[in-house]
Amino acid sequence: KEKHVLKEISNMELVERLNQAGYLIDYAKVKGRNPNGNANRAHVAAELLEQGYVTSIREAFDTILSDNGGFYVPPARLPLIDVVRDLRNIGALPVLAHPLQELTEEELRELLPAAIEAGLAGMETMHSSYTPEVIALAGTIAEEFHLLPSGGSDFHGSVKPDISLGTGTGGLCIPLEIY
């Protein structure tokens, strides 16, 4: 729940910064784009597209909503080890999502022993953003550390029309045994 609150605050601040810069975005409308009311940058991008500020969702991410665009500030994150412990305490099997998207191989290898000690059960080894080489590396690391392999297309519904549940860019198709 705390993660949702942190993301909500980040989203509200993003929309406020956009409004101050002249991009008139209604946050209630952004939240309404998702049936459960949880918004993310993709929903903001869809609103920017609908309002005519960009010509595609990709353009929104590449310009206005990019990490360097000045409007988006990632939400604060809870400490990984605490999250892993909390998930284990409620009976869940924690799986680290697309670690090689944000960490180098060395950083990941340094992080894993403490995460495993806290109860990490798996690691995403297949992801839409991964090249075949990164998929192979992630699989090797998961095997080395005795982690369950996982895969994800990063499906977010209609805001990512080029990605479907279980399949993604670059020919990604999550094998049945991963499910």
Side-chain angles (χ1 to χ4, degrees), residues 6-25:
L6 295 172
K7 192 171 189 179
E8 181 79 6
I9 291 168
S10 173
N11 288 334
M12 291 168 59
E13 290 172 349
L14 168 62
V15 169
E16 184 177 328
R17 282 189 291 278
L18 289 169
N19 282 320
Q20 289 173 353
Y23 298 100
L24 303 180
I25 304 295

Side-chain angles (χ1 to χ4, degrees), residues 127-148:
H127 185 266
S128 287
S129 69
Y130 284 4
T131 64
E133 294 79 19
V134 174
I135 289 172
L137 174 62
T140 298
I141 293 171
E143 193 173 308
E144 266 179 51
F145 285 89
H146 307 288
L147 292 168
L148 296 170

Side-chain angles (χ1 to χ4, degrees), residues 35-51:
N36 67 13
N38 293 328
N40 60 34
R41 263 193 304 176
H43 298 101
V44 174
E47 184 63 18
L48 287 166
L49 175 62
E50 185 173 300
Q51 295 298 325

Side-chain angles (χ1 to χ4, degrees), residues 51-70:
Q51 295 298 325
Y53 296 116
V54 293
T55 58
S56 69
I57 289 176
R58 174 61 24 219
E59 180 188 346
F61 273 98
D62 289 345
T63 58
I64 300 168
L65 300 178
S66 75
D67 290 343
N68 300 323

